[in-house]
Amino acid sequence: MKLYYAPGACSLSPHIVLRELGLPVELEAVDLKAKKTSRGGDFREINPKGYVPVLEIEPGDRLTEGPAILLYLASLKPGNDLTPEPGSRDYFRFVEWLGFINSEVHKGFGILFAGENPAALERLQKRL
């Protein structure tokens, strides 16, 4: 497997899960502004959306979107302590939280990189 990541981006969560589960992985950094991989490749050929994370399961077989990648990784080691039992009510609550964090909390952190924006900061505080 290969994880395409960018320092300081949300690709940190699958990186942590890979390490926590002890799964072997090759890492390739991405310059998101230039859309280039650390090996000089055009990242848009890897992910036309142009952002990380991307998990390449095998050549040409890629997953994008943090929650999908996290759930896939957890499925590789059944009985891990990272997720509730798949199919259980707690599991679906877990998926609910992944969706909320991905759609509502994650986007609010952009203010940390975009300068002062009191209204956006207030929205983020409410969500947290």
Side-chain angles (χ1 to χ4, degrees):
M1 281 188 293
K2 182 190 289 190
L3 178 65
Y4 291 89
Y5 75 97
C10 59
S11 51
L12 179 60
S13 61
H15 191 176
I16 291 169
V17 169
L18 282 158
R19 298 298 184 204
E20 186 70 25
L21 293 174
L23 297 170
V25 65
E26 178 185 346
L27 299 173
E28 187 155 353
V30 175
D31 178 335
L32 292 174
K33 288 184 182 180
K35 304 296 185 207
K36 295 285 181 190
T37 68
S38 58
R39 294 183 179 153
D42 181 353
F43 182 61
R44 289 169 292 217
E45 291 178 9
I46 304 298
N47 184 4
K49 299 172 198 169
Y51 57 79
V52 294
V54 175
L55 182 68
E56 188 167 65
I57 299 164
E58 55 187 57
D61 185 8
R62 301 180 184 106
L63 273 177
T64 64
E65 307 304 326
I69 293 170
L70 295 175
L71 292 171
Y72 172 76
L73 292 173
S75 77
L76 296 178
K77 290 231 176 163
N80 66 68
D81 292 332
L82 299 179
T83 65
E85 183 66 31
S88 68
R89 182 172 291 159
D90 285 343
Y91 181 80
F92 292 105
R93 294 281 182 215
F94 173 75
V95 172
E96 177 182 42
W97 276 105
L98 281 177
F100 177 72
I101 291 166
N102 190 62
S103 66
E104 298 301 321
V105 175
H106 172 258
K107 69 183 175 185
F109 277 88
I111 65 163
L112 299 175
F113 306 100
E116 194 171 322
N117 184 335
L121 182 58
E122 184 178 333
R123 281 192 305 275
L124 177 58
Q125 287 173 329
K126 285 180 182 176
R127 286 183 173 92
L128 293 176

